[in-house]
Amino acid sequence: MEESKELIYGLNDRPPLRETLFAAMQHLLAIFVAIITPPLIICSALKFDLGTTAFMVSMALFASGVATFIQCRRFGPIGTGLLCIQGTSFSFISPIIGAGMMGMVGGKMNVEMGLSYIFGACLVASVVEMIVSRILPYTRKIITPLVSGIVVTLIGLCLIKAGINSCGGGQIAMDNGSFGSMQHLGLALLVLISIIFFNRSSNRFLRMASIVLGLLIGCIVAYFLGMIDFSKINGIASFNIPIPFKYGLRFDIGTIIGIGLIYLVTAVEAFGDITANSLISGQPVEGEVFMKRARGGILADGFNSMLAAVFNSFPNSIFAQNNGMIQLTGVASRYVGYFIAAALIILGLFPIVGEVFSLIPDSVLGGATLLMFGTVAAAGVRIIASTEITRKAVLVMAISFAMGLSVELVPNILDKMPEVIRNIFSSGITTGGLTAILANAFIHIKE
């Protein structure tokens, strides 16, 4: 509760409009790229056209705005009532790409079919996180910090593959034979170095905007290299109307199980983020009030992801980076969240926003995402390091990483397996995560 002394505006304070807008702008700066990056990566991996990619980016912004408003406002049991920002989750990228590949027909991607499998699985599996919110004390005994740390590390390690593919130029470069060229790798390296340079700055604004500035530098260079063509932006509707179930729904049990496991881990991560947010906001971090907040936040996490699937977007999760923003600004007012939510919704309703960001070359995006994904893996290592590394912990880590990375490095090991098994275990995150849960539960060693 001592943290509240450092706050300029508390949870239920209403800052003046100018200060509210300033705080909201800084939060947007911290989350904008993180919200649009997952749909860009997924659409690139699945070879979606520019129009579909732009729509996915727009819907990601729209869904994040709605989710943020629900978390901040709190409706009945749903939401934290804190300045809690939600955005598109990186954790689901790998299994979502796997689900989307079910839309491949005769070597060509059927966009509608691929997205229908993705949204069907994301919608059904979101129930997992909502159930976890109701039985929170029991799930924390199963998903320990060790298990959570292993899964988060695997998420980062498995995503690095997508990041390095983007650095090489992505699927487009693979198709035209320029993958891994000096132009693509040099551009990715420029973005990477730029982000590191700005992130090391003692100026907090440059540090907060490091990813945005790195991408901006990369895009400027890419434009002069002829890699960005603004003439592609034509015939665009002036307004996006969110259409529920635009691509329909299809269901595959293996995909649902795989994505359901990520929801399970996301619930545990959300609990940690809510705890940190409560502490920074000067609110209790134990007792009945806190538990009500935590359960409401995790319930909203699952509900908002289900809502995102309805409106053709990918799962949402609570963004941890915004907790740091509250500390930096000294503003914990949840009313700031209303402005952030409104800005995200408005941006999502204008197709031009999605179109512009869809033009970012894969190699530019790769330079930023490679660092982001490495940071995710490092965060997982940090969680593991916070636990006692016993003989049992070493065994659990060893078998989990071995099983998880094996299917990522040698995916054809599952070729002879039934389709359901292939769909469940084709993701290293799912395989390693399930292994971690089972190994942690059944391996017993007397120290």
Side-chain angles (χ1 to χ4, degrees), residues 22-214:
F22 183 69
M25 182 59 69
Q26 290 186 86
H27 278 282
L28 280 171
L29 203 62
I31 63 173
F32 188 82
V33 172
I35 290 172
I36 66 170
T37 299
L40 288 175
I41 293 171
I42 292 165
C43 292
S44 173
L46 296 176
K47 303 182 184 180
F48 289 167
D49 58 81
L50 185 67
T52 303
T53 302
F55 184 73
M56 291 294 104
V57 171
S58 292
M59 288 303 99
L61 292 167
F62 175 80
S64 295
V66 173
T68 296
F69 181 71
I70 290 172
Q71 283 284 18
C72 296
R73 176 68 177 80
R74 187 178 175 92
F75 293 87
I78 304 176
T80 59
L82 298 167
L83 177 51
C84 204
I85 314 301
Q86 282 208 225
T88 321
S89 174
F90 281 89
S91 303
F92 294 83
I93 291 176
S94 185
I96 281 177
I97 291 173
M101 292 303 291
M102 298 181 72
M104 291 293 288
V105 180
K108 292 187 68 176
M109 173 57 69
N110 183 320
V111 175
E112 185 174 312
M113 181 184 293
L115 287 172
S116 67
Y117 274 115
I118 290 172
F119 297 136
C122 292
L123 188 144
V124 173
S126 65
V127 175
V128 171
E129 192 166 7
M130 289 188 263
I131 292 172
V132 168
S133 72
R134 303 299 90 189
I135 55 172
L136 186 59
Y138 305 102
T139 55
R140 290 175 64 198
K141 295 176 183 178
I142 301 170
I143 311 295
T144 63
L146 175 64
V147 172
S148 181
I150 289 170
V151 175
V152 173
T153 304
L154 279 169
I155 288 170
L157 293 176
C158 292
L159 286 176
I160 285 173
K161 179 180 177 182
I164 200 67
N165 276 335
S166 293
C167 288
Q171 192 60 51
I172 295 173
M174 289 181 188
D175 293 340
N176 64 28
S178 65
F179 184 79
S181 68
M182 283 300 295
Q183 180 171 290
H184 289 307
L185 294 179
L187 201 52
L189 184 62
L190 172 66
V191 174
L192 181 64
I193 292 172
S194 299
I195 292 172
I196 293 172
F197 174 78
F198 289 117
N199 196 261
R200 291 178 66 251
S201 173
S202 56
N203 185 304
R204 67 177 186 176
F205 297 105
L206 287 178
R207 186 179 173 188
M208 285 187 294
S210 59
I211 294 176
V212 176
L213 291 171

Side-chain angles (χ1 to χ4, degrees), residues 359-381:
L359 294 176
I360 298 176
D362 281 343
S363 46
V364 172
L365 199 61
T369 55
L370 196 64
L371 187 62
M372 288 183 193
F373 298 155
T375 304
V376 173
V381 172

Side-chain angles (χ1 to χ4, degrees), residues 35 58 108 122 187 202 229 238-239 243 255 298 307 378 403:
I35 290 172
S58 292
K108 292 187 68 176
C122 292
L187 201 52
S202 56
D229 182 9
S238 60
F239 196 70
I243 304 170
T255 304
I298 295 170
L307 210 57
M403 296 294 286

